[in-house]
Amino acid sequence: MQECITNDRHNIIILNLSFYSELMTDQELITGILNHDKPVIQALVNKYHKQVIKTAFYFVHDMDDAEDIAQDVCIEILEKVGHFNRTATLSTWIYRVTVNKSLNFVRKNKRKQLVQQFESFFYKKDGKSGNAMAEPSSDDNLFENNERKQILDTAINSLPENQKTAFILSKYEELSYKEITEIMNLSLASVESLLQRAKQNLQKKLIVQFSEYSNRK
Amino acid sequence: MKHCELLQKDLFAYVENELSPVRIQHLDQHISECAECNRILAEFRSVLTLMEEQRSVEPRPFAETRILQGIESRLAKRQKSVNPLFARILQPALISFGVAAALALGFFLGTGFADTHSQYSQNNEMIESVRSDLNVPEFMTDDLFIFTE
């Protein structure tokens, strides 16, 4: 292990930075950012980039987009750290910014997809207009992982934003109800209710999707 | 309510073991007899397994470096976008103001100098006339003259 580290300069830097960032308190990070201290900014990115990318990915289902959102989140943190309410933890605030950025991205993307669908409906390359529905796949294994993934992503995306956020933070991020209440700025009862409704809606949508594929088969 | 609907209503709770033992037993019996519910349950479990797999997703290698580079370049772009404002509007305005201020200063200094010069000339003429009227020797009035050349 030691030999491996000493042989790889990049690893040493990353290891040192990880160590440095883990030791820093929220207060030290905030003070450093306010002073435009470059190593502190690197430590902030090192400490929180995984959390931000993963959360964004659960919303947008694409790693490139998740990294772009992570950049946006980091820039907002650097610019608005002066307005940060110190009663919450930095992690909670970063979660909140990430969720908002991700939801904004999904909203914009939905509009873009609608326009693309509209255009492709009328301007098909072969000149035929009409049925925008995809032809059923000839492959018998309709429920292969990719298709399952698509079904799951579609079902989660179709949830109302509050339910989707609560569900992702609970089921994917595995955060406690208390943490979710802080991030979403809601009461415990509201979060419980949102999660309950999210599960009900999700299972309903999934069952419909399963039946549709089953009928096509 | 039909048994199928009962299962479909409590699918999440059933899979996550959140139902009462009696209810679970009841649904277990139905699932063993209903092919459709059996299929839906199997698909649902597969989707939940997929969710577990997605949960363990990790950022790609060097994501941190890319984010840092992205932040730096975007902050630098913002910095640049501030500079044109200075270069196009503020800088010419400041230079124009400086030139105007220098011209005004030159004008005021020049006017003041001209006034002083004419005042000294008048004084010299007056001294000269008094000296000639009273026949005062030149050496006694020499110190009174102010040379304006």
Side-chain angles (χ1 to χ4, degrees):
Chain A
M1 168 82 177
Q2 190 63 36
E3 195 184 354
C4 177
I5 292 167
T6 47
N7 284 342
D8 193 338
R9 191 165 171 269
H10 181 262
N11 278 351
I12 293 171
I13 294 165
I14 295 294
L15 207 66
N16 283 341
L17 203 56
S18 304
F19 186 64
Y20 183 50
S21 63
E22 284 305 318
L23 285 179
M24 289 189 87
T25 61
D26 281 1
Q27 189 52 51
E28 285 167 338
L29 282 171
I30 292 165
T31 312
I33 296 167
L34 286 171
N35 293 332
H36 305 289
D37 192 345
K38 204 172 172 184
V40 175
I41 294 171
Q42 285 175 337
L44 175 91
V45 174
N46 177 270
K47 190 172 182 178
Y48 289 106
H49 80 282
K50 277 189 186 176
Q51 171 192 315
V52 174
I53 290 177
K54 285 175 83 167
T55 310
F57 179 80
Y58 299 143
F59 279 90
V60 301
H61 316 294
D62 182 274
M63 212 31 111
D64 285 329
D65 294 337
E67 279 187 20
D68 286 346
I69 291 170
Q71 271 183 29
D72 287 346
V73 170
C74 290
I75 286 178
E76 181 149 339
I77 300 296
L78 298 181
E79 285 178 342
K80 296 192 178 166
V81 75
H83 306 292
F84 168 56
N85 175 9
R86 311 271 167 109
T87 52
T89 63
L90 194 57
S91 167
T92 303
W93 184 46
I94 292 174
Y95 263 123
R96 201 177 295 164
V97 175
T98 310
V99 167
N100 287 336
K101 293 270 177 205
S102 304
L103 288 174
N104 280 342
F105 181 91
V106 172
R107 265 180 236 137
K108 276 184 196 167
N109 220 32
K110 252 184 199 168
R111 281 200 290 269
K112 215 190 313 180
Q113 278 176 350
L114 271 177
V115 172
Q116 279 170 353
Q117 277 176 7
F118 183 79
E119 283 175 352
S120 65
F121 186 85
F122 286 104
Y123 304 106
K124 281 198 164 186
K125 279 181 183 173
D126 59 3
K128 291 176 191 167
S129 64
N131 191 7
M133 288 276 286
E135 288 296 316
S137 164
S138 59
D139 192 350
D140 282 343
N141 300 320
L142 285 170
F143 288 109
E144 285 300 317
N145 264 0
N146 278 344
E147 282 156 312
R148 280 203 188 95
K149 186 183 174 301
Q150 210 169 352
I151 288 175
L152 178 63
D153 292 348
T154 310
I156 291 176
N157 280 345
S158 64
L159 289 174
E161 283 184 355
N162 262 0
Q163 291 180 23
K164 181 164 46 177
T165 305
F167 185 82
I168 286 174
L169 293 177
S170 168
K171 292 289 165 194
Y172 283 88
E173 284 291 328
E174 296 181 297
L175 298 180
S176 67
Y177 280 18
K178 188 178 172 291
E179 287 170 305
I180 299 172
T181 57
E182 284 168 5
I183 293 165
M184 296 185 74
N185 213 8
L186 292 171
S187 68
L188 187 65
S190 304
V191 169
E192 282 175 346
S193 160
L194 276 177
L195 274 170
Q196 193 57 33
R197 278 183 284 150
K199 284 180 185 177
Q200 290 289 341
N201 279 335
L202 201 60
Q203 67 191 23
K204 222 183 276 176
K205 287 168 196 291
L206 286 172
I207 289 167
V208 171
Q209 296 266 18
F210 295 152
S211 304
E212 276 179 16
Y213 275 102
S214 172
N215 290 340
R216 279 190 218 171
K217 257 166 107 177
Chain B
M1 196 183 277
K2 286 197 299 190
H3 292 304
C4 294
E5 287 175 12
L6 275 176
L7 174 76
Q8 289 171 17
K9 186 175 159 284
D10 288 331
L11 205 48
F12 245 114
Y14 176 79
V15 172
E16 292 185 331
N17 226 3
E18 287 172 353
L19 296 174
S20 69
V22 178
R23 185 90 177 238
I24 290 174
Q25 198 180 355
H26 182 75
L27 289 175
D28 278 344
Q29 195 183 341
H30 169 68
I31 291 159
S32 64
E33 293 161 358
C34 176
E36 178 63 7
C37 281
N38 205 348
R39 189 188 63 80
I40 285 174
L41 183 64
E43 290 301 345
F44 194 73
R45 283 191 199 279
S46 305
V47 166
L48 290 189
T49 309
L50 194 65
M51 207 189 286
E52 294 269 344
E53 285 170 18
Q54 283 188 345
R55 190 186 296 158
S56 58
V57 70
E58 285 294 322
R60 292 177 300 193
F62 305 108
E64 185 185 347
T65 314
R66 279 194 298 278
I67 290 172
L68 277 169
Q69 282 172 347
I71 293 170
E72 276 182 23
S73 69
R74 282 168 69 174
L75 290 178
K77 263 186 199 169
R78 284 191 191 182
Q79 191 74 29
K80 270 186 188 171
S81 70
V82 173
N83 286 341
L85 177 72
F86 182 77
R88 286 178 197 167
I89 301 166
L90 293 179
Q91 203 174 20
L94 280 174
I95 290 171
S96 307
F97 179 77
V99 169
L103 284 172
L105 188 68
F107 177 75
F108 284 117
L109 285 176
T111 316
F113 180 74
D115 287 348
T116 315
H117 187 272
S118 64
Q119 199 179 344
Y120 289 164
S121 302
Q122 282 172 8
N123 283 349
N124 288 350
E125 281 169 15
M126 196 172 72
I127 292 165
E128 180 62 36
S129 67
V130 170
R131 194 185 63 78
S132 60
D133 289 349
L134 298 176
N135 277 331
V136 178
E138 275 187 29
F139 73 91
M140 289 182 75
T141 57
D142 277 352
D143 292 343
L144 294 173
F145 284 102
I146 297 165
F147 297 99
T148 56
E149 286 83 10

